[in-house]
Amino acid sequence: MIDVTGRVLEVLYDRREGFVSPEELSEAAGARQERVDAAIEQLRRLGQPIEFVPPHGYRLRRPVRLDGYLIERDLRTRRVGRNVLCFDEVDSTNDVAATAAAQVGSDGLVVLAESQRAGRGRLGRAWLSPPGRNILMSVLLLDPHNTLPHDGLTIAAGLAAAEGVEASTGCHCGLGWPNDVLLDGRKLCGVLVELHTAGGRRCLVTGIGINVNACPSDDEVDQPATCLADHAGEWIERTEIVQAVLRRMDHWVGLLAEGRTESLHGAWLSRCGMLNRRLTVLRAGQRYVGRVLDISPREGLVLCGDDQRRIHLPAAGSTVLREGRG
Ligand code: BTN
């Protein structure tokens, strides 16, 4: 969306705490009143809750619908978010992104939805999120030369989510291997990286679910969840969080693709309290027990087993069963 409609949305969004008169809107959008009216109607059809209260004018009410134009403006990324698509309802944003991989120019595509009919988490679990409250997002990366390791991308996306949330809301997030972003020890965000082939070329879809204004109750999920609104005590707007996460993702994906993983490794570990802890990990029906030596973008989890042997466990298919201090 560009031109008058985009400009009208921009003005209403930037001044969403108050009203904007029709005259101000007309001037800001550089368009006549009839054109502004048409833009308002178009935005309402797209689901934006715009109210008109005489004599004050127009106001964008909550919840503001996620919009590709608002997200793309000022994004200033190189690869991630070149094109941002927002849907009302899809089965899974990961599926929409994977389907787009066959199209020319789809590298860096971001897909968002207000709700998912079949949102999925790792290991066949469902990802639950009521419509219009949270961030359900997937990033498509074409990787014909195999420069993006699956574990590295999982780590990069989790770190990007933690940093993006922190930059946009001030909430400090921790990380748990393989894919948890934690707030006060509860799950705030999950990452699901899926590998595909499109036209014979490798591509990866990174799904990111962030609990912004709602989260499942403890009896709905295996791991206790939380959301940013509970932490802040108020409704949280999603657009700036999406932008901040995409910026950090762009940064880390750029380094990962160049094989420069040192800073990613360090930054991830600095938010993770698992080093030296004793973990039990289930993978392919087998249990692995040991002390955490390292968690790295290239090697995944590295444990020191009870027989002092090093055990390497990739993120895909691994579950941490129990945690205790070793
Ligand atoms: C997990 O922690 O198990 C991973 C959760 C990943 C959820 C996101 S929401 C957007 C994207 N679409 C999906 O179906 N799943 C991911």
Side-chain angles (χ1 to χ4, degrees):
M1 187 195 311
I2 42 166
D3 63 44
V4 177
T5 309
R7 189 74 194 111
V8 166
L9 179 58
E10 242 176 1
V11 174
L12 290 174
Y13 183 79
D14 292 342
R15 293 186 42 192
R16 62 192 178 279
E17 301 305 327
F19 289 95
V20 187
S21 73
E23 295 74 29
E24 282 177 288
L25 256 189
S26 213
E27 195 185 325
R32 287 159 48 154
Q33 193 59 55
E34 306 83 75
R35 184 64 195 89
V36 171
D37 291 346
I40 297 273
E41 279 319 304
Q42 188 187 347
L43 289 167
R44 283 179 173 149
R45 277 197 299 279
L46 289 171
Q48 291 297 359
I50 300 171
E51 65 178 355
F52 181 65
V53 181
H56 307 294
Y58 292 103
R59 181 168 65 172
L60 190 55
R61 279 190 290 113
R62 283 176 186 157
V64 177
R65 256 184 78 107
L66 287 170
D67 181 273
Y69 176 72
L70 287 182
I71 294 168
E72 280 177 32
R73 75 173 174 150
D74 306 330
L75 193 57
R76 296 186 299 273
T77 51
R78 284 197 306 173
R79 183 173 179 187
V80 174
R82 279 181 190 153
N83 192 9
V84 179
L85 300 178
C86 297
F87 294 88
D88 188 24
E89 191 181 50
V90 297
D91 284 339
S92 159
T93 53
N94 269 26
D95 293 344
V96 178
T99 306
Q103 290 163 18
V104 177
S106 58
D107 182 56
L109 172 74
V110 172
V111 175
L112 287 129
E114 296 292 347
S115 75
Q116 300 184 119
R117 287 180 288 265
R120 55 180 180 272
R122 293 178 73 249
L123 309 165
R125 297 185 189 120
W127 184 258
L128 306 173
S129 175
R133 300 182 148 235
N134 294 328
I135 294 172
L136 307 166
M137 163 162 91
S138 299
V139 178
L140 171 66
L141 296 165
L142 307 185
D143 189 34
H145 305 301
N146 206 353
T147 58
L148 298 171
H150 192 285
D151 274 63
L153 201 53
T154 302
I155 280 180
L159 178 60
E163 291 176 335
V165 164
E166 194 164 318
S168 52
T169 68
C171 291
H172 180 77
C173 300
L175 292 166
W177 187 83
N179 73 328
D180 297 334
V181 178
L182 306 165
L183 181 59
D184 297 335
R186 291 178 152 251
K187 183 148 173 159
L188 179 76
C189 161
V191 170
L192 174 68
V193 177
E194 294 177 322
L195 189 59
H196 296 270
T197 310
R201 294 182 308 170
R202 182 179 196 264
C203 61
L204 297 118
V205 174
T206 303
I208 302 175
I210 307 177
N211 297 328
V212 181
N213 291 296
C215 63
S217 58
D218 287 358
D219 52 3
E220 286 178 293
V221 282
D222 304 339
Q223 193 180 353
T226 189
C227 68
L228 292 168
D230 283 356
H231 193 78
E234 59 179 0
W235 172 273
I236 310 269
E237 207 52 70
R238 296 169 294 169
T239 302
E240 283 76 15
I241 302 175
V242 170
Q243 290 180 311
V245 172
L246 293 178
R247 286 188 192 113
R248 294 313 292 161
M249 179 95 181
D250 190 62
H251 171 76
W252 294 121
V253 164
L255 292 182
L256 199 58
E258 290 169 8
R260 293 161 59 200
T261 53
E262 251 173 58
S263 54
L264 170 61
H265 191 178
W268 199 91
L269 283 180
S270 72
R271 287 177 185 264
C272 169
M274 287 169 135
L275 276 189
N276 286 320
R277 285 197 181 169
R278 191 175 166 76
L279 293 189
T280 302
V281 178
L282 187 65
R283 184 175 155 77
Q286 210 168 330
R287 270 166 187 268
Y288 300 88
V289 183
R291 188 169 56 82
V292 178
L293 291 178
D294 195 10
I295 298 169
S296 91
R298 290 177 185 282
E299 297 183 309
L301 177 71
V302 185
L303 295 180
C304 175
D306 292 340
D307 57 2
Q308 301 306 308
R309 265 194 289 194
R310 284 167 79 94
I311 308 167
H312 289 244
L313 292 163
S318 297
T319 326
V320 175
L321 287 185
R322 246 180 300 121
E323 217 179 311
R325 290 191 185 276

